[in-house]
Amino acid sequence: FKKLRDKQWREKYEELVCFKQAHGHLQVPHSNQRLYKWIMRQRLLEAKGTLDPERKAKLDELGLEWRRKNKQT
């Protein structure tokens, strides 16, 4: 089961890497629900202190902001 979860995490991480390459940022829109929700889950795990340190390091290296910025309209 852990191997499956690791594989799923790597797949989402790679999807995020591709998103950044295509768009130049990591501000995934709500319309990309699966990736958006995955990022929110990683932020929640980080806030709780339960995100795997290796995963956090990879997301840090990619430039993920752990606290969402409020968009002003």
Side-chain angles (χ1 to χ4, degrees), residues 1-67:
F1 186 71
K2 184 178 178 348
K3 284 185 180 183
L4 175 61
R5 292 191 77 135
D6 288 344
K7 180 177 182 266
Q8 290 170 336
W9 192 92
R10 284 191 310 272
E11 288 171 355
K12 284 294 179 199
Y13 175 79
E14 289 302 322
E15 189 177 337
L16 186 60
V17 169
C18 291
F19 180 92
K20 184 176 182 180
Q21 289 172 342
H23 301 283
H25 60 78
L26 294 173
Q27 298 170 359
V28 176
H30 292 270
S31 59
N32 188 339
Q33 281 192 355
R34 288 184 181 195
L35 188 56
Y36 179 83
K37 287 181 180 180
W38 182 82
I39 291 171
M40 296 306 292
R41 174 89 175 131
Q42 303 314 300
R43 286 179 173 144
L44 177 65
L45 292 172
E46 192 274 337
K48 288 179 165 182
T50 57
L51 180 62
D52 180 275
E54 288 181 24
R55 291 178 177 182
K56 182 178 184 315
K58 287 181 77 102
L59 292 168
D60 283 339
E61 186 177 313
L62 192 58
L64 183 66
E65 293 180 4
W66 294 106
R67 306 292 173 251

